Every structure is written in structure tokens, then in C-alpha cells.
Amino acid sequence: MTTKHGPRSANPVDTHVGSRIRVRRQVLKMSQEKLGDMLGVTFQQVQKYERGANRVGASRLWKMSRVLDVPVSFFFDGLKGYEDDLPAGQFAEGDQTPIVYDFIRSTDGVSLATAVSKIKNKAVRRQILELARSLAAEADKD
């Protein structure tokens, strides 16, 4: 398979894996420095992994899965592949995928997802969803 990204641009798979690393690290409230220490790399290296600028090797990805307490497959969840004719960084997964990835990569997205996931009552979670939809509809009117 050929790719259409330049030699200095991040590969879409590396970007996806990096975003999953970042999300999991943030959910655990772990700093880049602490993760780096546990992996034996600098926090700058962790930053590069999270951006997809540097590819994570197989042995380091395995160690990272142990440190972050997830299976190795976690880093590839949601990655169904990409087509050569799509711009770099976009995947053929459905219309909402870029929106979801942008949201979950944000600090607010991680915080909101963490907080809502702690709410056990389905009715309350549904009310939060309806509130968000209502606020979004109001914003669209403005």
C-alpha cells in the first residue's frame, strides 16, 4: 500500500496510535514525564509519540500497554484502515469519526468523557446528552 504523506508528515496510523496513547494517559491523570520515566524515555519523546511524529516500536508499544493497563489492541481501536485516495489523517469509518476524534483529543473531551462515564444512572446520562443537544441547537441558531 502506498501513502500520500510527505517524508516529514505523520503517518495516519501513527497519529491514531498517538492519540490513543494521549487519551489513555489523560484518563489515568498521568503526566507525559511520568509515562516517559516508566518507559525509559524523555517526556519529549512521549510528546512525539502522541503527535504521531515518531512511530512507536512493537516492544515499546507492548511495554506502554502494560504501563497504561490496556491491551495492545487498544491503541488500534477505531482504526479500520484508510484508503489511498483520502487525505492524510482521515479514515473511511463514517461521517462522525473526525468529529469524535477531534473531541476526544481535546482536554475538555477527555474530562467530559471521564466524568460522564462515572455516572451510573442511565437516565441521568441521557439527560446530559439531551442538554448537550439542546445547547448545540441553540448555538446553531445564533
Side-chain angles (χ1 to χ4, degrees):
M1 169 177 6
T2 61
T3 59
K4 294 182 180 178
H5 63 277
R8 296 247 184 241
S9 63
N11 180 288
V13 175
D14 296 331
T15 301
H16 178 84
V17 169
S19 70
R20 300 289 291 169
I21 292 167
R22 180 175 182 265
V23 164
R24 182 61 182 166
R25 179 184 59 75
Q26 289 179 327
V27 165
L28 294 174
K29 295 182 175 27
M30 182 184 293
S31 70
Q32 289 176 332
E33 186 173 4
K34 182 175 180 183
L35 178 57
D37 287 345
M38 295 175 84
L39 295 173
V41 300
T42 64
F43 79 91
Q44 292 96 333
Q45 183 62 42
V46 172
Q47 288 176 332
K48 290 177 183 179
Y49 288 151
E50 290 183 357
R51 284 195 324 267
N54 282 10
R55 183 167 292 149
V56 183
S59 59
R60 176 122 330 119
L61 193 62
W62 181 84
K63 187 173 183 179
M64 196 171 299
S65 75
R66 298 301 176 252
V67 169
L68 296 176
D69 195 30
V70 292
V72 172
S73 61
F74 168 84
F75 302 111
F76 301 97
D77 285 350
L79 178 65
K80 298 193 187 313
Y82 60 97
E83 304 299 325
D84 289 341
D85 58 346
L86 289 176
Q90 294 185 9
F91 300 97
E93 296 176 336
D95 295 339
Q96 296 300 310
T97 300
I99 295 168
V100 172
Y101 282 151
D102 288 345
F103 173 72
I104 203 66
R105 285 182 192 143
S106 72
T107 302
D108 289 340
V110 172
S111 297
L112 182 60
T114 301
V116 171
S117 69
K118 291 179 182 177
I119 298 170
K120 302 300 180 209
N121 186 316
K122 283 185 172 185
V124 173
R125 287 196 313 260
R126 177 66 54 172
Q127 289 174 334
I128 291 170
L129 174 61
E130 292 306 319
L131 174 63
R133 286 180 176 156
S134 174
L135 293 170
E138 287 297 317
D140 285 344
K141 290 179 184 176
D142 293 340

